[in-house]
Amino acid sequence: MNAVDAPAAPLTHLTLVEAADGVSSGAFSAVELTDAAFKAFKASDRALNSVIALEEAEALEIAAALDKERNDGRLRGPLHGVPLAHKDMYYRAGKITTCGSEVRRDFRPTYTSTAIARLEAAGSVTLGTLNMAEFAQNPTGHNAHFGHCRNPWHTDYCPGGSSSGSGAAVAARFIYGALGSDTGGSIRMPASMCGVTGIKPTQTRVSRYGAMPLSFMADNVGPLARTARDCARLLKAIAGHDPADPTSAKEPVPDYEAALDGDIRGMRIGIPTNFFFDGADTDVVRAVDAAAEVLSSRGANVVRIAIPHMDAVSTYGAIISRVEGSTIHAQWMRTRPQDYSIALGARFYAGLSIPAAYYVEALSRRGPILRALGREVFDKADVFVTPTIRIKTPTLAATDIDAGAPGAIDAFNMLAANTRAINYMGLPAVSVPCGFDGDGLPIGFQVVGRPFAEGRILKIADAYQRDTDWHRRRPTLRGA
Amino acid sequence: MANKIEDLVEEQVVRWHGVEPPNAAGHDYAKGMAGLIASFEKLRGELQFEDEPSSFEAALQETKERAP
């Protein structure tokens, strides 16, 4: 029997769906869940530093109001009474939103992001804000201003970034789910390194209104949670067109959760023969191969497939967010350079030198490359599966650019290689835990689908999680 | 014109943007621009002149998942 099924399991060990359904049925209250979450943060977060700010009194008050509504026979939605906390880049009217930065340490937006507004409208309780990379700009979890976030499986190691606190807090069982953001892998990398599930939706699937911008071409809003089913419930709540974000898609939002039946018979799962396994660690290759076997045993057809134009995708994908990020930060770089970390100031500085012609070339080929992918990949496979990250999770010390760690800049590029490529193509991808490396750190694989195939990739992820228990394993804090 | 890529980066960024080199890591990132140029050199010729606009959003629609 696993820990989640055990009768004596603490409330914090439930999945998000179990927690929501328990409040709905009256098995426990929103106040009990919220109180348990705050106790968990207080007991263990000093070792992880996953939090920027908690709002205990206000959250408990909201939870009590939700309990009263439930007792009166009213449920706000499928997240009624579920405690969540979010990457500290989602604006809430009147609340400080630091974006993990010194520049915005005291920034109080005057409006609330659509994603948080929708989660709260569905009944969630917002507990506070979570640590993140400065302006969502590193894959490791370093933060010079609020302290580095740490991996719950071993605190010497990176939790992944930039949604570092989201990955760490969900993995540590402090909360049931969290918003992250993903411009080059910032949901999927912490999901992979921390051993949780995280989905980057199709570009434009979720409104970005009130989400700190990094790259208008590549930013995505999405959740991290313990299971694919949890992510399905969260994504359903936040997806869909938003008049406040005219770039958001008008595609209808299916009931992702209702479609999770475990039946993936006949689905064609592509395994790339190029790029995505280049230089991959043997532990990672072994874990992803084993994951493909699990999917095959469920009746999926695994096929080897070449992904076209990957040199172009890799090159172009590496510059779009750098150019956009450098550009939108240029004024602060001129007037407040001392308020940026060494690593981020350096990245933005060099990004300003990238020629406009390179940027336009990268944007111009995005559509044609996606069309080629449609013809050459998705006519042969319904999805393709890759390691989320090719290499084992590194330590914080080995990747600390501010401290002058040799090779750290190259490590940043290697960590994001597989995820950033997917952002360039605008595709949805979900990262799923699939094992552990020799150092005891989680490994993840990503399932990548056609545009707006969130339902299919979540269905595959859920099917995989029916036959495996990697997502149920809980860290015991080591190295604390 | 500067001979070293990192010096060229510095000239451009200071002149065009008014941003000073922030630190040694900025120097390292600037050196890395040589690799970026090499990557773009390999892709020369792949971008074709297009008579009609080619929108990424349109490609998302064309290649999207269809309901069964």
Side-chain angles (χ1 to χ4, degrees):
Chain A
M1 177 179 287
N2 65 57
V4 172
D5 295 333
L11 291 176
T12 54
H13 291 186
L14 300 170
T15 68
L16 177 142
V17 167
E18 290 168 341
D21 293 351
V23 172
S24 174
S25 70
F28 34 77
S29 69
V31 166
E32 287 176 293
L33 293 184
T34 302
D35 184 57
F38 281 117
K39 284 190 167 76
F41 273 118
K42 287 175 189 169
S44 302
D45 193 54
R46 196 163 58 173
L48 300 184
N49 196 32
S50 71
V51 165
I52 287 192
L54 293 178
E55 300 153 8
E56 184 168 4
E58 185 177 345
L60 285 167
E61 196 175 306
I62 290 167
L66 288 165
D67 283 337
K68 182 172 185 315
E69 288 178 21
R70 189 262 165 203
N71 292 336
D72 291 343
R74 289 180 289 127
L75 291 174
R76 290 193 190 181
L79 299 173
H80 193 98
V82 175
L84 303 174
H86 305 295
K87 187 175 187 178
D88 194 16
M89 55 166 274
Y90 288 96
Y91 301 170
R92 294 178 298 153
K95 304 275 191 189
I96 287 178
T97 306
T98 69
C99 305
S101 71
E102 185 63 31
V103 171
R104 283 195 149 177
R105 186 177 281 276
D106 301 314
F107 170 60
R108 285 183 195 271
T110 57
Y111 59 99
T112 296
S113 66
T114 295
I116 287 195
R118 287 181 174 176
L119 290 172
E120 291 179 346
S124 74
V125 181
T126 302
L127 304 193
T129 57
L130 298 176
N131 204 349
M132 59 181 283
E134 180 184 12
F135 286 119
Q137 278 271 351
N138 73 50
T140 52
H142 290 94
N143 188 304
H145 311 296
F146 293 90
H148 306 327
C149 185
R150 296 178 176 278
N151 194 308
W153 293 92
H154 194 305
T155 54
D156 288 346
Y157 285 77
C158 296
S162 63
S163 311
S164 49
S166 302
V170 171
R173 276 39 177 183
F174 297 159
I175 46 169
Y176 302 104
L179 286 178
S181 71
D182 195 315
T183 305
S186 286
I187 288 171
R188 290 162 288 158
M189 287 189 281
S192 178
M193 292 192 204
C194 290
V196 302
T197 308
I199 183 167
K200 180 208 92 67
T202 305
Q203 190 76 40
T204 71
R205 173 75 290 181
V206 178
S207 169
R208 297 177 292 181
Y209 180 73
M212 179 212 79
L214 167 58
S215 164
F216 296 109
M217 294 297 162
D219 288 342
N220 294 271
V221 173
L224 298 90
R226 287 165 210 168
T227 70
R229 182 172 290 276
D230 292 348
C231 286
R233 187 169 292 195
L234 289 166
L235 184 60
K236 169 73 174 169
I238 60 175
H241 181 64
D242 172 19
D245 174 6
T247 68
S248 60
K250 293 181 177 171
E251 290 293 307
V253 180
D255 187 341
Y256 302 119
E257 195 178 341
L260 303 180
D261 59 6
D263 185 3
I264 59 169
R265 287 173 298 174
M267 280 197 196
R268 300 166 302 167
I269 311 278
I271 306 291
T273 56
N274 61 321
F275 184 77
F276 289 97
F277 289 86
D278 292 352
D281 186 90
T282 53
D283 288 351
V284 174
V285 175
R286 193 177 304 119
V288 177
D289 283 348
E293 286 176 19
V294 171
L295 298 175
S296 179
S297 72
R298 276 210 160 243
N301 298 322
V302 176
V303 295
R304 302 282 160 180
I305 194 162
I307 312 294
H309 300 298
M310 286 311 300
D311 284 348
V313 168
S314 176
T315 299
Y316 297 145
I319 70 158
I320 289 180
S321 69
R322 286 185 73 183
V323 170
E324 295 186 356
S326 299
T327 304
I328 63 181
H329 281 269
Q331 181 59 10
W332 283 329
M333 285 287 290
R334 282 185 284 269
T335 59
R336 304 179 63 176
Q338 74 283 359
D339 288 337
Y340 286 88
S341 67
I342 290 171
L344 189 56
R347 179 177 163 82
F348 282 154
Y349 158 73
L352 286 169
S353 73
I354 297 173
Y358 278 15
Y359 176 71
V360 172
E361 180 177 335
L363 291 183
S364 298
R365 293 200 62 205
R366 209 175 176 203
I369 286 173
L370 179 54
R371 288 189 183 91
L373 207 75
R375 289 190 304 272
E376 298 176 37
V377 173
F378 290 121
D379 279 355
K380 298 170 187 162
D382 298 303
V383 301
F384 62 93
V385 165
T386 85
T388 306
I389 302 167
R390 296 179 194 174
I391 56 176
K392 296 195 299 184
T393 297
T395 62
L396 285 158
T399 50
D400 192 344
I401 293 176
D402 285 22
I409 293 174
D410 291 339
F412 272 39
N413 288 329
M414 188 64 163
L415 286 168
N418 282 5
T419 50
R420 195 169 55 201
I422 306 306
N423 292 72
Y424 179 75
M425 297 185 278
L427 303 172
V430 58
S431 181
V432 185
C434 65
F436 290 86
D437 65 27
D439 298 324
L441 277 296
I443 297 169
F445 70 101
Q446 62 176 347
V447 186
V448 184
R450 283 179 178 272
F452 303 105
E454 285 82 4
R456 185 186 293 274
I457 63 174
L458 284 167
K459 183 168 177 156
I460 292 168
D462 171 71
Y464 175 79
Q465 291 182 334
R466 288 167 187 251
D467 288 343
T468 58
D469 70 350
W470 306 112
H471 59 291
R472 293 196 189 97
R473 300 195 187 188
R474 293 193 311 273
T476 50
L477 290 179
R478 288 192 292 150
Chain B
M1 193 170 81
N3 288 323
K4 291 182 180 174
I5 186 70
E6 57 269 33
D7 294 337
L8 178 63
V9 166
E10 182 176 335
E11 279 183 18
Q12 290 179 335
V13 175
V14 171
R15 181 81 179 261
W16 290 349
H17 301 288
V19 173
E20 298 291 332
N23 48 50
H27 196 72
D28 292 342
Y29 268 109
K31 277 187 181 172
M33 288 298 157
L36 181 66
I37 293 169
S39 297
F40 270 80
E41 280 175 351
K42 288 182 189 166
L43 299 174
R44 284 178 188 167
E46 292 189 13
L47 176 66
Q48 302 295 318
F49 184 90
E50 292 191 47
D51 290 293
E52 303 297 333
S54 176
S55 140
F56 174 68
E57 285 69 26
L60 282 178
Q61 286 297 318
E62 287 170 32
T63 58
K64 72 181 178 184
E65 179 99 334
R66 307 284 170 188

Short mmCIF file of all heavy atoms in Angstrom, two decimals, chain B residues 2-43:
data_model
loop_
_atom_site.label_atom_id
_atom_site.label_comp_id
_atom_site.label_asym_id
_atom_site.label_seq_id
_atom_site.Cartn_x
_atom_site.Cartn_y
_atom_site.Cartn_z
N ALA B 2 36.08 46.38 -33.57
CA ALA B 2 36.77 45.46 -32.67
C ALA B 2 37.02 44.12 -33.35
O ALA B 2 36.22 43.67 -34.16
CB ALA B 2 35.92 45.25 -31.42
N ASN B 3 38.14 43.47 -33.00
CA ASN B 3 38.46 42.17 -33.57
C ASN B 3 37.83 41.03 -32.78
O ASN B 3 37.42 40.04 -33.34
CB ASN B 3 39.98 41.98 -33.63
CG ASN B 3 40.60 42.86 -34.70
OD1 ASN B 3 40.01 43.06 -35.76
ND2 ASN B 3 41.77 43.39 -34.42
N LYS B 4 37.79 41.19 -31.47
CA LYS B 4 37.25 40.12 -30.63
C LYS B 4 35.74 40.30 -30.50
O LYS B 4 35.26 41.43 -30.35
CB LYS B 4 37.89 40.16 -29.25
CG LYS B 4 39.36 39.76 -29.23
CD LYS B 4 39.86 39.79 -27.80
CE LYS B 4 41.32 39.41 -27.73
NZ LYS B 4 41.84 39.57 -26.36
N ILE B 5 35.04 39.18 -30.50
CA ILE B 5 33.58 39.26 -30.45
C ILE B 5 33.12 39.96 -29.17
O ILE B 5 32.17 40.75 -29.18
CB ILE B 5 32.95 37.85 -30.58
CG1 ILE B 5 31.43 37.94 -30.66
CG2 ILE B 5 33.35 36.95 -29.42
CD1 ILE B 5 30.90 38.52 -31.92
N GLU B 6 33.82 39.70 -28.05
CA GLU B 6 33.38 40.31 -26.80
C GLU B 6 33.57 41.83 -26.83
O GLU B 6 32.78 42.57 -26.23
CB GLU B 6 34.08 39.68 -25.59
CG GLU B 6 35.59 39.73 -25.61
CD GLU B 6 36.20 38.50 -26.26
OE1 GLU B 6 35.59 37.94 -27.18
OE2 GLU B 6 37.31 38.11 -25.83
N ASP B 7 34.59 42.28 -27.55
CA ASP B 7 34.78 43.73 -27.68
C ASP B 7 33.73 44.33 -28.60
O ASP B 7 33.23 45.44 -28.37
CB ASP B 7 36.19 44.02 -28.22
CG ASP B 7 37.28 43.62 -27.23
OD1 ASP B 7 36.97 43.53 -26.03
OD2 ASP B 7 38.41 43.36 -27.68
N LEU B 8 33.38 43.59 -29.64
CA LEU B 8 32.33 44.04 -30.55
C LEU B 8 31.00 44.15 -29.82
O LEU B 8 30.26 45.14 -29.98
CB LEU B 8 32.21 43.07 -31.73
CG LEU B 8 31.13 43.36 -32.76
CD1 LEU B 8 31.40 44.70 -33.45
CD2 LEU B 8 31.05 42.25 -33.80
N VAL B 9 30.69 43.15 -29.02
CA VAL B 9 29.46 43.17 -28.24
C VAL B 9 29.43 44.41 -27.34
O VAL B 9 28.44 45.14 -27.27
CB VAL B 9 29.32 41.88 -27.40
CG1 VAL B 9 28.24 42.03 -26.33
CG2 VAL B 9 29.01 40.69 -28.30
N GLU B 10 30.56 44.65 -26.68
CA GLU B 10 30.61 45.79 -25.76
C GLU B 10 30.37 47.10 -26.52
O GLU B 10 29.59 47.96 -26.07
CB GLU B 10 31.96 45.84 -25.04
CG GLU B 10 32.04 46.99 -24.04
CD GLU B 10 33.34 46.97 -23.24
OE1 GLU B 10 33.94 45.89 -23.10
OE2 GLU B 10 33.74 48.04 -22.76
N GLU B 11 31.06 47.25 -27.66
CA GLU B 11 30.88 48.48 -28.45
C GLU B 11 29.41 48.69 -28.83
O GLU B 11 28.86 49.77 -28.71
CB GLU B 11 31.71 48.38 -29.75
CG GLU B 11 33.17 48.71 -29.58
CD GLU B 11 33.91 48.66 -30.92
OE1 GLU B 11 33.25 48.69 -31.98
OE2 GLU B 11 35.13 48.57 -30.88
N GLN B 12 28.81 47.60 -29.30
CA GLN B 12 27.42 47.71 -29.76
C GLN B 12 26.46 48.01 -28.61
O GLN B 12 25.58 48.85 -28.73
CB GLN B 12 27.00 46.41 -30.45
CG GLN B 12 27.69 46.19 -31.78
CD GLN B 12 27.25 44.88 -32.41
OE1 GLN B 12 26.85 43.96 -31.73
NE2 GLN B 12 27.35 44.82 -33.73
N VAL B 13 26.62 47.29 -27.53
CA VAL B 13 25.65 47.42 -26.44
C VAL B 13 25.77 48.80 -25.78
O VAL B 13 24.76 49.43 -25.45
CB VAL B 13 25.82 46.28 -25.41
CG1 VAL B 13 24.90 46.49 -24.22
CG2 VAL B 13 25.52 44.94 -26.07
N VAL B 14 26.99 49.26 -25.62
CA VAL B 14 27.17 50.60 -25.04
C VAL B 14 26.64 51.67 -25.99
O VAL B 14 25.89 52.56 -25.60
CB VAL B 14 28.65 50.85 -24.70
CG1 VAL B 14 28.86 52.31 -24.29
CG2 VAL B 14 29.11 49.92 -23.58
N ARG B 15 27.01 51.53 -27.28
CA ARG B 15 26.64 52.57 -28.25
C ARG B 15 25.14 52.56 -28.55
O ARG B 15 24.49 53.60 -28.59
CB ARG B 15 27.44 52.34 -29.54
CG ARG B 15 27.18 53.35 -30.63
CD ARG B 15 27.98 54.62 -30.37
NE ARG B 15 27.78 55.62 -31.42
CZ ARG B 15 28.62 55.82 -32.44
NH1 ARG B 15 29.71 55.10 -32.53
NH2 ARG B 15 28.36 56.73 -33.34
N TRP B 16 24.61 51.39 -28.77
CA TRP B 16 23.22 51.30 -29.21
C TRP B 16 22.21 51.35 -28.06
O TRP B 16 21.08 51.78 -28.24
CB TRP B 16 22.98 50.01 -30.00
CG TRP B 16 23.66 50.00 -31.35
CD1 TRP B 16 24.24 51.05 -31.99
CD2 TRP B 16 23.82 48.88 -32.21
NE1 TRP B 16 24.75 50.66 -33.20
CE2 TRP B 16 24.50 49.33 -33.37
CE3 TRP B 16 23.44 47.54 -32.13
CZ2 TRP B 16 24.81 48.48 -34.43
CZ3 TRP B 16 23.75 46.69 -33.20
CH2 TRP B 16 24.44 47.17 -34.33
N HIS B 17 22.63 50.86 -26.90
CA HIS B 17 21.65 50.73 -25.81
C HIS B 17 22.03 51.51 -24.55
O HIS B 17 21.19 51.66 -23.66
CB HIS B 17 21.47 49.26 -25.43
CG HIS B 17 21.01 48.41 -26.58
ND1 HIS B 17 19.74 48.46 -27.09
CD2 HIS B 17 21.68 47.49 -27.33
CE1 HIS B 17 19.63 47.59 -28.10
NE2 HIS B 17 20.79 47.01 -28.27
N GLY B 18 23.25 51.96 -24.46
CA GLY B 18 23.64 52.69 -23.26
C GLY B 18 23.77 51.80 -22.04
O GLY B 18 23.64 52.26 -20.90
N VAL B 19 24.01 50.52 -22.25
CA VAL B 19 24.18 49.58 -21.14
C VAL B 19 25.65 49.19 -21.06
O VAL B 19 26.23 48.72 -22.04
CB VAL B 19 23.30 48.32 -21.33
CG1 VAL B 19 23.61 47.28 -20.26
CG2 VAL B 19 21.82 48.71 -21.29
N GLU B 20 26.22 49.38 -19.89
CA GLU B 20 27.63 49.08 -19.69
C GLU B 20 27.82 47.58 -19.40
O GLU B 20 26.91 46.94 -18.86
CB GLU B 20 28.17 49.88 -18.49
CG GLU B 20 28.09 51.39 -18.68
CD GLU B 20 29.07 51.89 -19.74
OE1 GLU B 20 30.12 51.24 -19.95
OE2 GLU B 20 28.77 52.93 -20.37
N PRO B 21 29.00 47.05 -19.72
CA PRO B 21 29.28 45.65 -19.36
C PRO B 21 29.14 45.48 -17.85
O PRO B 21 29.79 46.21 -17.10
CB PRO B 21 30.72 45.44 -19.80
CG PRO B 21 31.02 46.54 -20.75
CD PRO B 21 30.14 47.69 -20.39
N PRO B 22 28.32 44.56 -17.38
CA PRO B 22 28.03 44.52 -15.94
C PRO B 22 29.07 43.80 -15.11
O PRO B 22 29.30 44.15 -13.95
CB PRO B 22 26.69 43.78 -15.88
CG PRO B 22 26.67 42.92 -17.10
CD PRO B 22 27.47 43.63 -18.15
N ASN B 23 29.73 42.77 -15.68
CA ASN B 23 30.58 41.91 -14.85
C ASN B 23 31.33 40.92 -15.74
O ASN B 23 31.13 40.89 -16.97
CB ASN B 23 29.74 41.16 -13.81
CG ASN B 23 28.51 40.50 -14.45
OD1 ASN B 23 28.63 39.81 -15.45
ND2 ASN B 23 27.33 40.75 -13.89
N ALA B 24 32.14 40.08 -15.10
CA ALA B 24 32.93 39.10 -15.87
C ALA B 24 32.04 38.09 -16.58
O ALA B 24 32.36 37.62 -17.68
CB ALA B 24 33.90 38.38 -14.93
N ALA B 25 30.93 37.76 -15.95
CA ALA B 25 30.03 36.80 -16.60
C ALA B 25 29.45 37.39 -17.89
O ALA B 25 29.21 36.66 -18.86
CB ALA B 25 28.90 36.41 -15.64
N GLY B 26 29.24 38.69 -17.90
CA GLY B 26 28.78 39.36 -19.12
C GLY B 26 29.81 39.19 -20.23
O GLY B 26 29.45 38.98 -21.40
N HIS B 27 31.07 39.25 -19.86
CA HIS B 27 32.16 39.02 -20.81
C HIS B 27 32.07 37.60 -21.37
O HIS B 27 32.21 37.37 -22.58
CB HIS B 27 33.48 39.21 -20.07
CG HIS B 27 34.67 39.38 -20.94
ND1 HIS B 27 34.90 40.52 -21.68
CD2 HIS B 27 35.70 38.54 -21.20
CE1 HIS B 27 36.03 40.37 -22.35
NE2 HIS B 27 36.53 39.18 -22.08
N ASP B 28 31.79 36.63 -20.49
CA ASP B 28 31.67 35.23 -20.94
C ASP B 28 30.48 35.06 -21.87
O ASP B 28 30.56 34.35 -22.87
CB ASP B 28 31.52 34.30 -19.73
CG ASP B 28 32.80 34.23 -18.89
OD1 ASP B 28 33.87 34.62 -19.42
OD2 ASP B 28 32.71 33.82 -17.72
N TYR B 29 29.35 35.67 -21.50
CA TYR B 29 28.18 35.57 -22.38
C TYR B 29 28.48 36.21 -23.74
O TYR B 29 28.06 35.72 -24.78
CB TYR B 29 26.97 36.25 -21.74
CG TYR B 29 26.10 35.34 -20.91
CD1 TYR B 29 26.05 35.44 -19.53
CD2 TYR B 29 25.29 34.37 -21.52
CE1 TYR B 29 25.25 34.62 -18.76
CE2 TYR B 29 24.48 33.55 -20.75
CZ TYR B 29 24.47 33.67 -19.38
OH TYR B 29 23.66 32.84 -18.62
N ALA B 30 29.21 37.33 -23.72
CA ALA B 30 29.55 37.99 -24.98
C ALA B 30 30.43 37.10 -25.84
O ALA B 30 30.23 37.00 -27.06
CB ALA B 30 30.25 39.32 -24.68
N LYS B 31 31.37 36.41 -25.22
CA LYS B 31 32.20 35.47 -25.98
C LYS B 31 31.35 34.40 -26.65
O LYS B 31 31.64 33.94 -27.75
CB LYS B 31 33.20 34.77 -25.04
CG LYS B 31 34.45 35.54 -24.76
CD LYS B 31 35.38 34.64 -23.95
CE LYS B 31 36.67 35.33 -23.61
NZ LYS B 31 37.47 34.52 -22.68
N GLY B 32 30.29 34.01 -25.96
CA GLY B 32 29.40 32.97 -26.49
C GLY B 32 28.69 33.38 -27.76
O GLY B 32 28.13 32.53 -28.47
N MET B 33 28.70 34.66 -28.09
CA MET B 33 28.05 35.11 -29.32
C MET B 33 28.73 34.55 -30.56
O MET B 33 28.12 34.45 -31.62
CB MET B 33 28.03 36.64 -29.37
CG MET B 33 27.06 37.26 -28.40
SD MET B 33 25.36 36.75 -28.75
CE MET B 33 24.63 37.00 -27.14
N ALA B 34 29.99 34.17 -30.43
CA ALA B 34 30.67 33.55 -31.58
C ALA B 34 29.98 32.25 -31.97
O ALA B 34 29.80 31.95 -33.16
CB ALA B 34 32.14 33.29 -31.24
N GLY B 35 29.57 31.50 -30.97
CA GLY B 35 28.84 30.26 -31.24
C GLY B 35 27.49 30.52 -31.89
O GLY B 35 27.04 29.78 -32.77
N LEU B 36 26.84 31.60 -31.46
CA LEU B 36 25.53 31.94 -32.05
C LEU B 36 25.70 32.30 -33.53
O LEU B 36 24.91 31.86 -34.38
CB LEU B 36 24.91 33.11 -31.28
CG LEU B 36 23.54 33.56 -31.78
CD1 LEU B 36 22.50 32.48 -31.56
CD2 LEU B 36 23.11 34.84 -31.08
N ILE B 37 26.73 33.08 -33.82
CA ILE B 37 26.97 33.45 -35.22
C ILE B 37 27.23 32.19 -36.05
O ILE B 37 26.69 32.02 -37.15
CB ILE B 37 28.15 34.43 -35.31
CG1 ILE B 37 27.77 35.76 -34.67
CG2 ILE B 37 28.56 34.64 -36.77
CD1 ILE B 37 28.94 36.70 -34.47
N ALA B 38 28.02 31.28 -35.51
CA ALA B 38 28.32 30.04 -36.24
C ALA B 38 27.04 29.24 -36.50
O ALA B 38 26.86 28.67 -37.58
CB ALA B 38 29.32 29.21 -35.45
N SER B 39 26.16 29.21 -35.52
CA SER B 39 24.90 28.48 -35.70
C SER B 39 24.05 29.11 -36.79
O SER B 39 23.43 28.41 -37.61
CB SER B 39 24.10 28.47 -34.39
OG SER B 39 24.81 27.79 -33.38
N PHE B 40 24.00 30.43 -36.82
CA PHE B 40 23.23 31.11 -37.88
C PHE B 40 23.89 30.93 -39.25
O PHE B 40 23.19 30.82 -40.26
CB PHE B 40 23.03 32.60 -37.55
CG PHE B 40 21.78 32.86 -36.76
CD1 PHE B 40 21.74 32.65 -35.40
CD2 PHE B 40 20.62 33.31 -37.38
CE1 PHE B 40 20.59 32.88 -34.65
CE2 PHE B 40 19.46 33.55 -36.66
CZ PHE B 40 19.44 33.33 -35.29
N GLU B 41 25.21 30.89 -39.27
CA GLU B 41 25.90 30.66 -40.55
C GLU B 41 25.47 29.33 -41.16
O GLU B 41 25.23 29.23 -42.36
CB GLU B 41 27.42 30.66 -40.34
CG GLU B 41 28.02 32.07 -40.24
CD GLU B 41 29.51 32.03 -39.91
OE1 GLU B 41 30.05 30.94 -39.59
OE2 GLU B 41 30.12 33.10 -39.97
N LYS B 42 25.33 28.32 -40.32
CA LYS B 42 24.94 26.99 -40.83
C LYS B 42 23.53 27.00 -41.39
O LYS B 42 23.18 26.15 -42.21
CB LYS B 42 25.03 25.97 -39.69
CG LYS B 42 26.43 25.60 -39.29
CD LYS B 42 26.40 24.55 -38.19
CE LYS B 42 27.78 24.32 -37.63
NZ LYS B 42 27.76 23.58 -36.37
N LEU B 43 22.71 27.93 -40.94
CA LEU B 43 21.30 27.96 -41.38
C LEU B 43 21.08 28.86 -42.59
O LEU B 43 19.96 28.95 -43.09
CB LEU B 43 20.41 28.43 -40.22
CG LEU B 43 20.44 27.55 -38.97
CD1 LEU B 43 19.65 28.21 -37.84
CD2 LEU B 43 19.87 26.17 -39.26
#
